[in-house]
Amino acid sequence: MTEIAISGYGVICAQGLNYEECKKNIYNSPKGPLKPKRFETPNIDFPIFDIPKEIDFIFSKPSKEFNVFLSTLMALKCLEEAMEKAKLNLNYLKNKNILVSIGTTIAITLNDFNFHKEYILGKSPENKPFERFLKSNPSNFISNFLNNLNCKPITVATACASSSDAIGIAYLALKEDEKIDLAICGGADEVSQVNHQGFISMKIYSKNPCKPFDKKRDGLNLGNGAGILILEREENAIKRGIKPDIFVAGYGSYQDGFHFTHPHPEGKGLEKSILKALSFKKISLNEIDFINAHGTATPENDITEGKVIKRLFPEGIKFLSTKGYTGHTLGAAGAIEAIFVAMALKEEKIMKNIGFDEMDPEIGLIPVIKEEKVEKRFALSNSLGFAGANSALLFERKR
Amino acid sequence: MEYGIIDFVGLSSKGLGKDAFSFKLKKEDISFMEIKSEIFGKKSLPFFKANIDKLKEFYSLKDIRRLDKYARIVLLLSSEILKNINQNEKEDMAVILGTSYGSFKTNCDFLDTIILQGFEYASPMLFTGTVHNSPLAPLGIFQGLRGTSYCISNFEKTFSSSLYLADLLLSSMVCEKILLIFADEISDLLLYGFSNILKIDEDNIRTIPQEGGCAFLLGFENFILPLKKINDFLKERQKNMENYGFTYYPEAFELLINLNKIDIK
């Protein structure tokens, strides 16, 4: 059976600008959300998980010269880190057939507030934001950056499940399409006036650090971030001197078809996605060590996910949400969390679910509240999104 | 096992049907949208507007009142192509929605509300339509599509990316049938942005942005064109570029037009 290895990974979020920084902060001194400062808003009491500092250089070039959205810039920075870890260079990639599968929500929309404002007030705004919008499509941009005619770009837009789906598509491609040598996959997203104000107007944005699965949870916090993974067949990675230890082992994605924003109350799409992901390895539910839940800390999401976890998995299954470290990074969440799952499997310790104090009787489950040891080989990561999107990724650790 | 295109339909200014893009466009097909700017003053820019009148034959206006035009285009195309498909088949059917601009217009509307009326007037309903995959919700709710569903947005690569993904899903047996849709809505800010980088000229059809889309039903049985042969099929056929305006996925319209020309037994 073809094994799909994660041979490289790069991550940016509120905990750091690379994997090592994130790991150090997640396990030792996690950073919290701050007042939004990148855009104009009267709602400064609704905090965001911003990246800790600006990105100066990418591939030795000043980041400003790329002139793309922050999301796309973060994706490129993560690619630099992922390539370094996978021992890849641009020359090597030029001869390869690469699938570039990136998920996002904001990097494919024009959210430039001043551009809109000038236009709506009858002025003639400079067209640069529009041109940046056309240029920033993340998978197109990365394919162009790699200058590789054999790149297949796919930008996946399934809302907050985007990057889990992008990774899932890359996994399927490496399993099914012999012509694909490797995949650059993941996601990138950023907070803008639209999503910040949008979630506030839906009354599911918390003024406090979010509390996934807690009884007193009152909404999410948004975050900026990106995660990029290099996936390839195990034997290819070994040929380059990499000994992969974490693998993508399954993937499922199903639509709820229930509501525009709310998940199906019984989590039907999520359940199908989880079972499909497990079917690739033909493993049973009790072989899963832990679940990285979507866990946005909105009342509804956590109830639905809790119901599915309770219904499907053995009592005492370990689960957590990492939104307390990153905020909800929307189209990047699945990718960042895939890297966190890989981190937990590598370190053999599950990070704690920040923000949980008291069990919600409606959920009836307690997440991981202090670091716990990983004892089994498999872990699962869930993503849910607007428009009824659900997806699940299965990960495996090998020694 | 082979798989391919079972059925197809298009939606243009001429309405809904297999032949929606089978005719050369004329000046009377052009619609205009007003933009306001210091440079232009008030100016009307041309675009080819999708005629979605037929949607009322499928749904009451009350049921679809919350859908933006982008979602209505997707819903109309899917309702037409799936009208003879039973619910069991639809339940596990996959959907791939390819789009260039997706929810651009609704995103603008949301921002306009904030700018003109204030942040406190931001509409949660508009916000739910600001994600590119938003039409997948009504497809699930009204058409009962609950399979694997994606939205792909890659500008000039949208057609090839979506087709590649369809091939992948069918070859890996993730599903037995796929509804592949390409759809876009044109808005005034989009026209403004494009008017600054390409000359939108009433006398040159290829510069006038095209609204609407097309849909293809893909599967393993009774197909009229194998998926693997689509690129060769398109290479061998004459181009019909006077039949549609500016689009990032001309291949989709060419495919539709040429499928409509072949004698399907």
PDB file of all heavy atoms in Angstrom, chain B residues 140-171:
ATOM      1  N   GLY B 140     -27.461  21.526  -1.032  1.00  0.00           N
ATOM      2  CA  GLY B 140     -27.772  20.476  -0.062  1.00  0.00           C
ATOM      3  C   GLY B 140     -29.207  20.572   0.408  1.00  0.00           C
ATOM      4  O   GLY B 140     -29.932  19.579   0.456  1.00  0.00           O
ATOM      5  N   ILE B 141     -29.628  21.809   0.743  1.00  0.00           N
ATOM      6  CA  ILE B 141     -30.960  21.996   1.319  1.00  0.00           C
ATOM      7  C   ILE B 141     -32.059  21.721   0.283  1.00  0.00           C
ATOM      8  O   ILE B 141     -33.001  20.984   0.552  1.00  0.00           O
ATOM      9  CB  ILE B 141     -31.098  23.432   1.895  1.00  0.00           C
ATOM     10  CG1 ILE B 141     -30.103  23.633   3.048  1.00  0.00           C
ATOM     11  CG2 ILE B 141     -32.524  23.717   2.345  1.00  0.00           C
ATOM     12  CD1 ILE B 141     -29.869  25.080   3.451  1.00  0.00           C
ATOM     13  N   PHE B 142     -31.937  22.308  -0.900  1.00  0.00           N
ATOM     14  CA  PHE B 142     -33.022  22.201  -1.895  1.00  0.00           C
ATOM     15  C   PHE B 142     -32.892  20.988  -2.812  1.00  0.00           C
ATOM     16  O   PHE B 142     -33.875  20.482  -3.312  1.00  0.00           O
ATOM     17  CB  PHE B 142     -33.088  23.466  -2.760  1.00  0.00           C
ATOM     18  CG  PHE B 142     -33.437  24.700  -1.998  1.00  0.00           C
ATOM     19  CD1 PHE B 142     -32.585  25.789  -1.966  1.00  0.00           C
ATOM     20  CD2 PHE B 142     -34.636  24.780  -1.295  1.00  0.00           C
ATOM     21  CE1 PHE B 142     -32.904  26.932  -1.258  1.00  0.00           C
ATOM     22  CE2 PHE B 142     -34.968  25.923  -0.589  1.00  0.00           C
ATOM     23  CZ  PHE B 142     -34.092  26.999  -0.568  1.00  0.00           C
ATOM     24  N   GLN B 143     -31.669  20.560  -3.062  1.00  0.00           N
ATOM     25  CA  GLN B 143     -31.481  19.454  -4.007  1.00  0.00           C
ATOM     26  C   GLN B 143     -31.084  18.146  -3.317  1.00  0.00           C
ATOM     27  O   GLN B 143     -30.953  17.115  -3.975  1.00  0.00           O
ATOM     28  CB  GLN B 143     -30.397  19.836  -5.028  1.00  0.00           C
ATOM     29  CG  GLN B 143     -30.869  20.828  -6.081  1.00  0.00           C
ATOM     30  CD  GLN B 143     -31.870  20.201  -7.038  1.00  0.00           C
ATOM     31  OE1 GLN B 143     -31.773  19.043  -7.387  1.00  0.00           O
ATOM     32  NE2 GLN B 143     -32.859  20.977  -7.453  1.00  0.00           N
ATOM     33  N   GLY B 144     -30.831  18.214  -2.018  1.00  0.00           N
ATOM     34  CA  GLY B 144     -30.494  17.002  -1.268  1.00  0.00           C
ATOM     35  C   GLY B 144     -29.125  16.439  -1.605  1.00  0.00           C
ATOM     36  O   GLY B 144     -28.884  15.238  -1.456  1.00  0.00           O
ATOM     37  N   LEU B 145     -28.211  17.302  -2.045  1.00  0.00           N
ATOM     38  CA  LEU B 145     -26.849  16.843  -2.357  1.00  0.00           C
ATOM     39  C   LEU B 145     -26.023  16.842  -1.073  1.00  0.00           C
ATOM     40  O   LEU B 145     -25.744  17.903  -0.506  1.00  0.00           O
ATOM     41  CB  LEU B 145     -26.214  17.754  -3.406  1.00  0.00           C
ATOM     42  CG  LEU B 145     -26.884  17.724  -4.777  1.00  0.00           C
ATOM     43  CD1 LEU B 145     -26.455  18.915  -5.623  1.00  0.00           C
ATOM     44  CD2 LEU B 145     -26.552  16.443  -5.510  1.00  0.00           C
ATOM     45  N   ARG B 146     -25.623  15.659  -0.622  1.00  0.00           N
ATOM     46  CA  ARG B 146     -24.908  15.566   0.656  1.00  0.00           C
ATOM     47  C   ARG B 146     -23.635  14.742   0.526  1.00  0.00           C
ATOM     48  O   ARG B 146     -23.179  14.098   1.462  1.00  0.00           O
ATOM     49  CB  ARG B 146     -25.830  14.988   1.731  1.00  0.00           C
ATOM     50  CG  ARG B 146     -26.997  15.904   2.009  1.00  0.00           C
ATOM     51  CD  ARG B 146     -27.819  15.526   3.197  1.00  0.00           C
ATOM     52  NE  ARG B 146     -28.931  16.463   3.321  1.00  0.00           N
ATOM     53  CZ  ARG B 146     -30.126  16.309   2.765  1.00  0.00           C
ATOM     54  NH1 ARG B 146     -30.400  15.224   2.074  1.00  0.00           N
ATOM     55  NH2 ARG B 146     -31.067  17.220   2.909  1.00  0.00           N
ATOM     56  N   GLY B 147     -23.088  14.740  -0.658  1.00  0.00           N
ATOM     57  CA  GLY B 147     -21.847  14.008  -0.867  1.00  0.00           C
ATOM     58  C   GLY B 147     -20.639  14.894  -0.621  1.00  0.00           C
ATOM     59  O   GLY B 147     -20.733  15.942   0.023  1.00  0.00           O
ATOM     60  N   THR B 148     -19.506  14.472  -1.145  1.00  0.00           N
ATOM     61  CA  THR B 148     -18.275  15.251  -1.048  1.00  0.00           C
ATOM     62  C   THR B 148     -18.433  16.494  -1.919  1.00  0.00           C
ATOM     63  O   THR B 148     -18.789  16.380  -3.090  1.00  0.00           O
ATOM     64  CB  THR B 148     -17.104  14.378  -1.550  1.00  0.00           C
ATOM     65  OG1 THR B 148     -17.082  13.194  -0.756  1.00  0.00           O
ATOM     66  CG2 THR B 148     -15.789  15.089  -1.456  1.00  0.00           C
ATOM     67  N   SER B 149     -18.205  17.660  -1.327  1.00  0.00           N
ATOM     68  CA  SER B 149     -18.478  18.901  -2.070  1.00  0.00           C
ATOM     69  C   SER B 149     -17.324  19.883  -1.944  1.00  0.00           C
ATOM     70  O   SER B 149     -16.838  20.130  -0.833  1.00  0.00           O
ATOM     71  CB  SER B 149     -19.741  19.565  -1.519  1.00  0.00           C
ATOM     72  OG  SER B 149     -20.834  18.682  -1.637  1.00  0.00           O
ATOM     73  N   TYR B 150     -16.918  20.412  -3.092  1.00  0.00           N
ATOM     74  CA  TYR B 150     -15.809  21.369  -3.092  1.00  0.00           C
ATOM     75  C   TYR B 150     -16.168  22.614  -3.875  1.00  0.00           C
ATOM     76  O   TYR B 150     -16.952  22.552  -4.819  1.00  0.00           O
ATOM     77  CB  TYR B 150     -14.570  20.771  -3.764  1.00  0.00           C
ATOM     78  CG  TYR B 150     -14.022  19.543  -3.105  1.00  0.00           C
ATOM     79  CD1 TYR B 150     -14.130  18.307  -3.724  1.00  0.00           C
ATOM     80  CD2 TYR B 150     -13.372  19.621  -1.884  1.00  0.00           C
ATOM     81  CE1 TYR B 150     -13.614  17.163  -3.134  1.00  0.00           C
ATOM     82  CE2 TYR B 150     -12.852  18.489  -1.287  1.00  0.00           C
ATOM     83  CZ  TYR B 150     -12.977  17.270  -1.911  1.00  0.00           C
ATOM     84  OH  TYR B 150     -12.466  16.154  -1.317  1.00  0.00           O
ATOM     85  N   CYS B 151     -15.509  23.693  -3.497  1.00  0.00           N
ATOM     86  CA  CYS B 151     -15.517  24.887  -4.333  1.00  0.00           C
ATOM     87  C   CYS B 151     -14.052  25.169  -4.686  1.00  0.00           C
ATOM     88  O   CYS B 151     -13.188  25.175  -3.798  1.00  0.00           O
ATOM     89  CB  CYS B 151     -16.127  26.063  -3.569  1.00  0.00           C
ATOM     90  SG  CYS B 151     -16.093  27.577  -4.520  1.00  0.00           S
ATOM     91  N   ILE B 152     -13.793  25.372  -5.969  1.00  0.00           N
ATOM     92  CA  ILE B 152     -12.428  25.598  -6.457  1.00  0.00           C
ATOM     93  C   ILE B 152     -12.380  26.965  -7.119  1.00  0.00           C
ATOM     94  O   ILE B 152     -13.245  27.296  -7.929  1.00  0.00           O
ATOM     95  CB  ILE B 152     -12.045  24.494  -7.494  1.00  0.00           C
ATOM     96  CG1 ILE B 152     -12.174  23.098  -6.877  1.00  0.00           C
ATOM     97  CG2 ILE B 152     -10.656  24.737  -8.073  1.00  0.00           C
ATOM     98  CD1 ILE B 152     -11.306  22.835  -5.679  1.00  0.00           C
ATOM     99  N   SER B 153     -11.367  27.752  -6.768  1.00  0.00           N
ATOM    100  CA  SER B 153     -11.303  29.113  -7.320  1.00  0.00           C
ATOM    101  C   SER B 153      -9.873  29.443  -7.722  1.00  0.00           C
ATOM    102  O   SER B 153      -9.035  29.761  -6.884  1.00  0.00           O
ATOM    103  CB  SER B 153     -11.806  30.100  -6.261  1.00  0.00           C
ATOM    104  OG  SER B 153     -11.888  31.381  -6.811  1.00  0.00           O
ATOM    105  N   ASN B 154      -9.592  29.340  -9.006  1.00  0.00           N
ATOM    106  CA  ASN B 154      -8.217  29.486  -9.492  1.00  0.00           C
ATOM    107  C   ASN B 154      -8.078  30.385 -10.709  1.00  0.00           C
ATOM    108  O   ASN B 154      -7.148  30.206 -11.495  1.00  0.00           O
ATOM    109  CB  ASN B 154      -7.652  28.110  -9.910  1.00  0.00           C
ATOM    110  CG  ASN B 154      -7.049  27.365  -8.760  1.00  0.00           C
ATOM    111  OD1 ASN B 154      -7.698  26.510  -8.190  1.00  0.00           O
ATOM    112  ND2 ASN B 154      -5.825  27.682  -8.402  1.00  0.00           N
ATOM    113  N   PHE B 155      -9.002  31.300 -10.915  1.00  0.00           N
ATOM    114  CA  PHE B 155      -8.975  32.155 -12.112  1.00  0.00           C
ATOM    115  C   PHE B 155      -8.759  31.315 -13.369  1.00  0.00           C
ATOM    116  O   PHE B 155      -9.544  30.415 -13.626  1.00  0.00           O
ATOM    117  CB  PHE B 155      -7.937  33.275 -11.968  1.00  0.00           C
ATOM    118  CG  PHE B 155      -8.308  34.279 -10.898  1.00  0.00           C
ATOM    119  CD1 PHE B 155      -7.493  34.514  -9.809  1.00  0.00           C
ATOM    120  CD2 PHE B 155      -9.513  34.964 -10.973  1.00  0.00           C
ATOM    121  CE1 PHE B 155      -7.860  35.421  -8.825  1.00  0.00           C
ATOM    122  CE2 PHE B 155      -9.892  35.868  -9.995  1.00  0.00           C
ATOM    123  CZ  PHE B 155      -9.059  36.091  -8.925  1.00  0.00           C
ATOM    124  N   GLU B 156      -7.672  31.564 -14.103  1.00  0.00           N
ATOM    125  CA  GLU B 156      -7.511  30.905 -15.416  1.00  0.00           C
ATOM    126  C   GLU B 156      -7.271  29.400 -15.293  1.00  0.00           C
ATOM    127  O   GLU B 156      -7.328  28.676 -16.283  1.00  0.00           O
ATOM    128  CB  GLU B 156      -6.383  31.566 -16.228  1.00  0.00           C
ATOM    129  CG  GLU B 156      -4.965  31.327 -15.735  1.00  0.00           C
ATOM    130  CD  GLU B 156      -4.573  32.202 -14.555  1.00  0.00           C
ATOM    131  OE1 GLU B 156      -5.432  32.947 -14.039  1.00  0.00           O
ATOM    132  OE2 GLU B 156      -3.397  32.131 -14.151  1.00  0.00           O
ATOM    133  N   LYS B 157      -7.008  28.914 -14.099  1.00  0.00           N
ATOM    134  CA  LYS B 157      -6.792  27.476 -13.913  1.00  0.00           C
ATOM    135  C   LYS B 157      -8.046  26.789 -13.357  1.00  0.00           C
ATOM    136  O   LYS B 157      -8.004  25.619 -13.004  1.00  0.00           O
ATOM    137  CB  LYS B 157      -5.627  27.239 -12.934  1.00  0.00           C
ATOM    138  CG  LYS B 157      -4.307  27.868 -13.350  1.00  0.00           C
ATOM    139  CD  LYS B 157      -3.594  27.020 -14.362  1.00  0.00           C
ATOM    140  CE  LYS B 157      -2.191  27.569 -14.616  1.00  0.00           C
ATOM    141  NZ  LYS B 157      -1.496  26.838 -15.662  1.00  0.00           N
ATOM    142  N   THR B 158      -9.126  27.512 -13.232  1.00  0.00           N
ATOM    143  CA  THR B 158     -10.321  26.954 -12.602  1.00  0.00           C
ATOM    144  C   THR B 158     -10.831  25.712 -13.334  1.00  0.00           C
ATOM    145  O   THR B 158     -11.183  24.705 -12.705  1.00  0.00           O
ATOM    146  CB  THR B 158     -11.438  28.025 -12.525  1.00  0.00           C
ATOM    147  OG1 THR B 158     -10.953  29.114 -11.750  1.00  0.00           O
ATOM    148  CG2 THR B 158     -12.703  27.484 -11.881  1.00  0.00           C
ATOM    149  N   PHE B 159     -10.844  25.767 -14.659  1.00  0.00           N
ATOM    150  CA  PHE B 159     -11.360  24.630 -15.420  1.00  0.00           C
ATOM    151  C   PHE B 159     -10.455  23.407 -15.240  1.00  0.00           C
ATOM    152  O   PHE B 159     -10.919  22.317 -14.892  1.00  0.00           O
ATOM    153  CB  PHE B 159     -11.476  24.990 -16.907  1.00  0.00           C
ATOM    154  CG  PHE B 159     -12.005  23.861 -17.751  1.00  0.00           C
ATOM    155  CD1 PHE B 159     -13.357  23.560 -17.766  1.00  0.00           C
ATOM    156  CD2 PHE B 159     -11.145  23.086 -18.523  1.00  0.00           C
ATOM    157  CE1 PHE B 159     -13.847  22.515 -18.539  1.00  0.00           C
ATOM    158  CE2 PHE B 159     -11.626  22.035 -19.298  1.00  0.00           C
ATOM    159  CZ  PHE B 159     -12.981  21.742 -19.302  1.00  0.00           C
ATOM    160  N   SER B 160      -9.170  23.587 -15.456  1.00  0.00           N
ATOM    161  CA  SER B 160      -8.262  22.426 -15.375  1.00  0.00           C
ATOM    162  C   SER B 160      -8.195  21.870 -13.951  1.00  0.00           C
ATOM    163  O   SER B 160      -8.160  20.649 -13.748  1.00  0.00           O
ATOM    164  CB  SER B 160      -6.863  22.773 -15.897  1.00  0.00           C
ATOM    165  OG  SER B 160      -6.335  23.840 -15.182  1.00  0.00           O
ATOM    166  N   SER B 161      -8.214  22.742 -12.942  1.00  0.00           N
ATOM    167  CA  SER B 161      -8.178  22.281 -11.540  1.00  0.00           C
ATOM    168  C   SER B 161      -9.430  21.471 -11.209  1.00  0.00           C
ATOM    169  O   SER B 161      -9.350  20.409 -10.591  1.00  0.00           O
ATOM    170  CB  SER B 161      -8.135  23.460 -10.566  1.00  0.00           C
ATOM    171  OG  SER B 161      -7.073  24.282 -10.843  1.00  0.00           O
ATOM    172  N   SER B 162     -10.574  21.983 -11.638  1.00  0.00           N
ATOM    173  CA  SER B 162     -11.839  21.318 -11.312  1.00  0.00           C
ATOM    174  C   SER B 162     -11.942  19.980 -12.034  1.00  0.00           C
ATOM    175  O   SER B 162     -12.399  18.986 -11.460  1.00  0.00           O
ATOM    176  CB  SER B 162     -13.022  22.208 -11.696  1.00  0.00           C
ATOM    177  OG  SER B 162     -12.906  23.457 -11.075  1.00  0.00           O
ATOM    178  N   LEU B 163     -11.503  19.971 -13.278  1.00  0.00           N
ATOM    179  CA  LEU B 163     -11.551  18.730 -14.056  1.00  0.00           C
ATOM    180  C   LEU B 163     -10.602  17.689 -13.457  1.00  0.00           C
ATOM    181  O   LEU B 163     -10.932  16.496 -13.364  1.00  0.00           O
ATOM    182  CB  LEU B 163     -11.147  19.042 -15.502  1.00  0.00           C
ATOM    183  CG  LEU B 163     -11.662  18.098 -16.558  1.00  0.00           C
ATOM    184  CD1 LEU B 163     -13.186  18.148 -16.637  1.00  0.00           C
ATOM    185  CD2 LEU B 163     -11.077  18.460 -17.931  1.00  0.00           C
ATOM    186  N   TYR B 164      -9.444  18.150 -13.036  1.00  0.00           N
ATOM    187  CA  TYR B 164      -8.476  17.237 -12.407  1.00  0.00           C
ATOM    188  C   TYR B 164      -9.081  16.626 -11.141  1.00  0.00           C
ATOM    189  O   TYR B 164      -8.984  15.410 -10.910  1.00  0.00           O
ATOM    190  CB  TYR B 164      -7.180  17.987 -12.074  1.00  0.00           C
ATOM    191  CG  TYR B 164      -6.178  17.104 -11.368  1.00  0.00           C
ATOM    192  CD1 TYR B 164      -5.435  16.165 -12.078  1.00  0.00           C
ATOM    193  CD2 TYR B 164      -6.010  17.168  -9.987  1.00  0.00           C
ATOM    194  CE1 TYR B 164      -4.550  15.311 -11.442  1.00  0.00           C
ATOM    195  CE2 TYR B 164      -5.124  16.316  -9.336  1.00  0.00           C
ATOM    196  CZ  TYR B 164      -4.394  15.399 -10.071  1.00  0.00           C
ATOM    197  OH  TYR B 164      -3.523  14.546  -9.430  1.00  0.00           O
ATOM    198  N   LEU B 165      -9.719  17.475 -10.353  1.00  0.00           N
ATOM    199  CA  LEU B 165     -10.314  16.997  -9.104  1.00  0.00           C
ATOM    200  C   LEU B 165     -11.445  15.999  -9.386  1.00  0.00           C
ATOM    201  O   LEU B 165     -11.569  14.972  -8.706  1.00  0.00           O
ATOM    202  CB  LEU B 165     -10.825  18.192  -8.298  1.00  0.00           C
ATOM    203  CG  LEU B 165     -11.417  17.924  -6.932  1.00  0.00           C
ATOM    204  CD1 LEU B 165     -10.461  17.131  -6.043  1.00  0.00           C
ATOM    205  CD2 LEU B 165     -11.795  19.228  -6.235  1.00  0.00           C
ATOM    206  N   ALA B 166     -12.234  16.276 -10.418  1.00  0.00           N
ATOM    207  CA  ALA B 166     -13.321  15.357 -10.790  1.00  0.00           C
ATOM    208  C   ALA B 166     -12.737  13.995 -11.173  1.00  0.00           C
ATOM    209  O   ALA B 166     -13.237  12.943 -10.740  1.00  0.00           O
ATOM    210  CB  ALA B 166     -14.112  15.941 -11.950  1.00  0.00           C
ATOM    211  N   ASP B 167     -11.700  14.019 -11.949  1.00  0.00           N
ATOM    212  CA  ASP B 167     -11.021  12.789 -12.379  1.00  0.00           C
ATOM    213  C   ASP B 167     -10.534  12.004 -11.150  1.00  0.00           C
ATOM    214  O   ASP B 167     -10.710  10.788 -11.038  1.00  0.00           O
ATOM    215  CB  ASP B 167      -9.844  13.190 -13.281  1.00  0.00           C
ATOM    216  CG  ASP B 167      -9.336  12.022 -14.116  1.00  0.00           C
ATOM    217  OD1 ASP B 167      -9.826  10.896 -13.947  1.00  0.00           O
ATOM    218  OD2 ASP B 167      -8.425  12.249 -14.933  1.00  0.00           O
ATOM    219  N   LEU B 168      -9.955  12.736 -10.208  1.00  0.00           N
ATOM    220  CA  LEU B 168      -9.422  12.123  -8.992  1.00  0.00           C
ATOM    221  C   LEU B 168     -10.531  11.464  -8.160  1.00  0.00           C
ATOM    222  O   LEU B 168     -10.378  10.336  -7.672  1.00  0.00           O
ATOM    223  CB  LEU B 168      -8.741  13.223  -8.174  1.00  0.00           C
ATOM    224  CG  LEU B 168      -7.772  12.847  -7.084  1.00  0.00           C
ATOM    225  CD1 LEU B 168      -6.623  12.024  -7.650  1.00  0.00           C
ATOM    226  CD2 LEU B 168      -7.224  14.121  -6.429  1.00  0.00           C
ATOM    227  N   LEU B 169     -11.644  12.156  -8.011  1.00  0.00           N
ATOM    228  CA  LEU B 169     -12.743  11.625  -7.192  1.00  0.00           C
ATOM    229  C   LEU B 169     -13.357  10.383  -7.832  1.00  0.00           C
ATOM    230  O   LEU B 169     -13.712   9.429  -7.136  1.00  0.00           O
ATOM    231  CB  LEU B 169     -13.834  12.680  -6.980  1.00  0.00           C
ATOM    232  CG  LEU B 169     -13.469  13.926  -6.188  1.00  0.00           C
ATOM    233  CD1 LEU B 169     -14.689  14.818  -5.999  1.00  0.00           C
ATOM    234  CD2 LEU B 169     -12.872  13.595  -4.827  1.00  0.00           C
ATOM    235  N   LEU B 170     -13.473  10.401  -9.149  1.00  0.00           N
ATOM    236  CA  LEU B 170     -14.067   9.237  -9.817  1.00  0.00           C
ATOM    237  C   LEU B 170     -13.081   8.071  -9.860  1.00  0.00           C
ATOM    238  O   LEU B 170     -13.455   6.925  -9.603  1.00  0.00           O
ATOM    239  CB  LEU B 170     -14.529   9.618 -11.229  1.00  0.00           C
ATOM    240  CG  LEU B 170     -15.761  10.541 -11.275  1.00  0.00           C
ATOM    241  CD1 LEU B 170     -15.960  11.128 -12.665  1.00  0.00           C
ATOM    242  CD2 LEU B 170     -17.022   9.800 -10.831  1.00  0.00           C
ATOM    243  N   SER B 171     -11.820   8.350 -10.151  1.00  0.00           N
ATOM    244  CA  SER B 171     -10.844   7.251 -10.235  1.00  0.00           C
ATOM    245  C   SER B 171     -10.615   6.611  -8.868  1.00  0.00           C
ATOM    246  O   SER B 171     -10.339   5.418  -8.769  1.00  0.00           O
ATOM    247  CB  SER B 171      -9.519   7.732 -10.834  1.00  0.00           C
ATOM    248  OG  SER B 171      -8.905   8.639  -9.972  1.00  0.00           O
TER     249      SER B 171
END
